[in-house]
């Protein structure tokens, strides 16, 4: 399952379609961020049902964060920490490392 605009609207409690293009861009950016942060050298990894579930949740969380903090401005430097995305990235990285190792062993 891929994250849809309606999925993200449900997370954000949004109605209407005025911001659909913006929401789609956040979904796309979040999707690419998650894949880039974990790895893309094991294509089958992203097809595993448990990985899909975690990936989709991370995309929803990160895309919602992009939406909610799109205009944040401050005189002081702050560091956003998205605990949901960070914890899911940790899980995905561990699973990815195992999948990569198995792929490498199979190719030897």
């Amino acid at each position: 399952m891929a994250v849809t605009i309606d999925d993200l609207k449900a997370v954000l409690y949004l109605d209407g379609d005025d911001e659909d293009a913006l929401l789609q861009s956040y979904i796309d950016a979040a999707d690419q961020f998650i894949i880039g942060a974990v790895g893309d050298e094991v294509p089958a990894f992203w097809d595993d049902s448990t990985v899909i579930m975690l990936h989709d949740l991370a995309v929803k969380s990160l895309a919602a964060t992009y939406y909610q903090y799109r205009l944040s401005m401050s005189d002081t430097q702050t560091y956003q920490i998205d605990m949901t995305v960070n914890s899911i990235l940790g899980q995905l990285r561990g699973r990815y490392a195992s999948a990569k190792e198995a792929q490498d062993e199979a190719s030897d």
Side-chain angles (χ1 to χ4, degrees):
M1 173 186 132
V3 176
T4 66
I5 292 172
D6 289 335
D7 294 333
L8 186 54
K9 284 181 181 178
V11 171
L12 295 166
Y13 302 105
L14 294 177
D15 294 323
D17 57 5
D18 293 343
E19 296 184 310
D20 282 3
L22 178 65
L23 294 174
Q24 186 62 57
S25 70
Y26 290 150
I27 291 169
D28 294 342
D31 177 59
Q32 289 305 303
F33 178 87
I34 300 301
I35 291 171
V38 174
D40 63 357
E41 296 176 19
V42 185
F45 173 78
W46 296 103
D47 296 330
D48 181 277
S49 62
T50 58
V51 170
I52 291 170
M53 181 178 55
L54 289 170
H55 175 257
D56 287 354
L57 182 58
V59 168
K60 287 179 205 174
S61 179
L62 187 55
T65 299
Y66 288 159
Y67 179 82
Q68 291 173 328
Y69 296 104
R70 62 188 166 185
L71 299 176
S72 56
M73 299 174 72
S74 174
D75 291 340
T76 60
Q77 187 173 8
T78 60
Y79 299 95
Q80 288 294 92
I81 298 174
D82 189 328
M83 299 301 270
T84 302
V85 173
N86 285 346
S87 68
I88 294 171
L89 279 176
Q91 292 177 48
L92 287 172
R93 284 177 178 151
R95 291 179 186 195
Y96 182 82
S98 296
K100 177 111 173 70
E101 185 177 319
Q103 175 182 285
D104 292 346
E105 287 175 1
S107 67
D108 288 339

